[in-house]
Amino acid sequence: MMVAQKLDFLRSIDRKYFDNAVKSLSAKPAAATAGASASAVKSAKPAKAGDIFAIVAKRVDGNSKLAKEVNAVLQFRVRDPETAWVVDLSGAKAEVKAGEASNVAATFTLSDEALARLAAGADARTLYQKGELKVDGDVAYAHKLGFLKA
Amino acid sequence: MKNRVNVIGVGMTKFVKPGTSPEYYVMAAEAGRLALRDAGIDYREVEQAYCGYVYGDSTCGQRSVYELGLTGIPVVNVNNNCSTGSTALWLARQAIESGAAECVLALGFEKMEKGALGAKFNDREPPMGLHVPVMLDLQGFTQAPPAAQMFGGAGREYRWEHGTKKETFGKISVKARQHASRNPYALFNQVLSLEEVMASEEVFDPLTRFQCCPPTCGAGAAILCSDAFAKKHGIKKPVYIAAQAMTTDYASSFEPKSMIRMIGYDMTKQAAKQVYETSGIGPEDIQVVELHDCFTANELLTYEALGLCPEGGAEKYIWDDQNTYGGKHVVNPSGGLLSKGHPLGATGLAQCTELVWQLRGTADQRQVKDARVALQHNLGLGGACVVTMYRRG
């Protein structure tokens, strides 16, 4: 339950997962079947994060207006399954990368499922109040997550 | 014609962890004896006794004061959840002020079990039947201790609105331990660093374990009397109650839905307002405060509800160290509920005891320089809030 344990887990994350996540940034969305998600093997559960951040990447890439508005590097730590993403809206460049960054303004921790709801239009404030979205660092950036929405 | 109410005797037991204390009536009687000795009077002078406790069968107050004497005086048992002790004080103050009695004992005690607060009677409507739906609507219900969910939830709501750092909450625990390290009556007197507070197990974001008060056993007592009684006993320049107010939930606790209001923000704000108006003294002229820090989030919110800092200004107030020695106010010099401990019935009387010592100049290593006006804040969910202002001479 300690934050330190979460970090260790992420550091030793399956290299294959990261590779798949990066691949899905440019790939077509994979069709998730009910059968596949009902599978007993947890690692077989498809990560929605990859598809979501692929779309976000398109929205963010070169978006200087958004970069000006947010003006920060934001870390996303997605759980179940574990993936990590950096949304860099800090300056001239505006981009999305898989992985971890140091020196971030805020870190958002949420489940893959909660991320999907956020992208579908769920209210970040409600998710935060319910404990489904955790924020380390400046909470003000949690008010600026509109760019995640489809 | 309202009589002035003096606090001529105070006393408390050392607070200890559950499973290690004597029986409730032994602790209560000890606190009672300490207060009587401090006042320099015999129990036979006491005309009424108000005994506060939350967990126990009926008439535990009598079992306690019978250890002091069998004088047949009126004994009333009282509870108001975590503000039980102050409620006993409130009744005692009312009795003296109205002229119903010249000398009254306010007593509070609790022998608690290990673990978080829970309900005892699950076969009936819970007292927080109107409050819980607010929480269910805003944030649902988890396995974490209910009180931590409520106050932690209020902390979340505040954090969202004001962008507060998590460490701001944790810093309050650091102060509490610092102050408690100079209090021989406190349960926890080991100093903690901010890193240690933040690294402790998360109970309910943003509250970590060291940001939650512990279950505790203990007792506290105060002797209240009229001016005439004090004069008769040669007591000069006693501490007196400049103003006191009790409030319960307003409609705003429930609608529009807000965790901050649900946990009693408006009860505190209104009780404080009444006290400032009655006394003619405002927060800027208070030097020392004992407030209800059941969780760090509540201490932070209470700074604003009491007007110790402007609304939205709590984070700055905390990082500028305005809440400790050298700052605008010394908040919880005793170590508060967080470090001194929180035996529900006793807390209000322990707060009173510390503030009386502060105003008399006998608070030893915890003494606040030039303490002239003291403020006490005690809050119970369900609910009730009692705010009391003390002065001396």
Side-chain angles (χ1 to χ4, degrees), chain A residues 2 128-129 131 134-135 143, chain B residues 139 153 156 159-160 199 202:
Chain A
M2 303 274 277
Y128 169 74
Q129 190 65 41
K134 294 243 172 106
V135 186
H143 297 235
Chain B
Q139 61 186 55
R156 276 182 197 176
R159 203 178 160 224
W160 180 272
E202 183 181 277

Side-chain angles (χ1 to χ4, degrees), chain A residues 44-101:
Chain A
K45 186 168 159 184
K48 302 189 188 113
D51 302 338
I52 291 164
F53 278 102
I55 297 166
V56 173
K58 290 201 188 84
R59 198 176 299 132
V60 158
D61 193 44
N63 189 337
S64 53
K65 182 165 170 272
L66 183 64
K68 215 184 211 173
E69 192 187 300
V70 178
N71 195 24
V73 181
L74 305 175
Q75 177 76 57
F76 288 81
R77 295 214 180 105
V78 185
R79 288 174 288 106
D80 197 32
E82 309 270 339
T83 57
W85 309 88
V86 177
V87 177
D88 189 339
L89 290 165
S90 62
K93 61 183 162 123
E95 59 177 5
V96 175
K97 295 179 285 207
E100 303 261 335

Side-chain angles (χ1 to χ4, degrees), chain B residues 126 259 296:
Chain B
M259 288 306 296
T296 54

Side-chain angles (χ1 to χ4, degrees), chain B residues 150-368:
Chain B
M150 293 174 199
F151 288 99
R156 276 182 197 176
E157 189 174 284
Y158 184 92
R159 203 178 160 224
W160 180 272
E161 272 165 44
H162 300 281
T164 319
K165 290 198 290 274
K166 280 189 180 182
E167 288 75 11
T168 304
F169 295 98
K171 195 172 186 299
I172 289 168
S173 295
V174 175
K175 169 182 73 71
R177 285 295 182 110
Q178 262 298 329
H179 293 180
S181 70
R182 299 191 285 267
N183 188 357
Y185 293 90
L187 172 58
F188 295 139
N189 23 42
Q190 316 96 293
V191 162
L192 287 173
S193 68
L194 181 58
E195 291 68 40
E196 286 172 299
V197 172
M198 301 310 293
S200 62
E201 183 197 332
E202 183 181 277
V203 172
F204 190 81
D205 178 53
L207 302 172
T208 59
R209 193 161 78 81
F210 291 139
Q211 299 188 48
C212 307
C213 70
T216 317
C217 302
I223 308 287
L224 277 61
C225 76
S226 64
D227 278 343
F229 186 95
K231 193 168 176 207
K232 196 169 84 174
H233 289 263
I235 295 163
K236 293 184 167 63
K237 283 190 76 182
V239 171
Y240 64 93
I241 292 176
Q244 185 180 59
M246 183 197 296
T247 52
T248 56
D249 288 286
Y250 298 91
S252 61
S253 291
F254 311 111
E255 277 297 336
K257 292 190 173 74
S258 150
M259 288 306 296
I260 290 171
R261 284 191 295 271
M262 189 273 251
I263 55 104
Y265 188 89
D266 287 344
M267 289 200 291
T268 294
K269 197 171 177 184
Q270 286 308 310
K273 185 165 175 273
Q274 288 176 32
V275 163
Y276 298 146
E277 278 170 6
T278 305
S279 65
I281 298 168
E284 60 287 343
D285 291 314
I286 296 168
Q287 293 80 43
V288 58
V289 180
E290 284 277 319
L291 57 74
H292 202 83
D293 58 332
C294 45
F295 298 92
T296 54
N298 201 47
E299 173 154 341
L300 184 152
L301 286 164
T302 302
Y303 293 154
E304 298 191 1
L306 292 177
L308 302 182
C309 70
E311 283 187 341
E315 187 161 49
K316 182 174 183 348
Y317 180 79
I318 290 164
W319 288 96
D320 286 350
D321 289 326
Q322 299 291 7
N323 57 359
T324 186
Y325 299 85
K328 287 201 170 99
H329 312 101
V330 179
V331 179
N332 294 336
S334 67
L337 280 60
L338 286 169
S339 298
K340 178 178 77 235
H342 182 33
L344 303 198
T347 283
L349 274 318
Q351 291 176 324
C352 171
T353 298
E354 176 71 19
L355 293 177
V356 167
W357 287 338
Q358 289 286 347
L359 290 174
R360 286 183 190 162
T362 62
D364 297 327
Q365 295 184 295
R366 303 182 308 287
Q367 185 62 51
V368 173

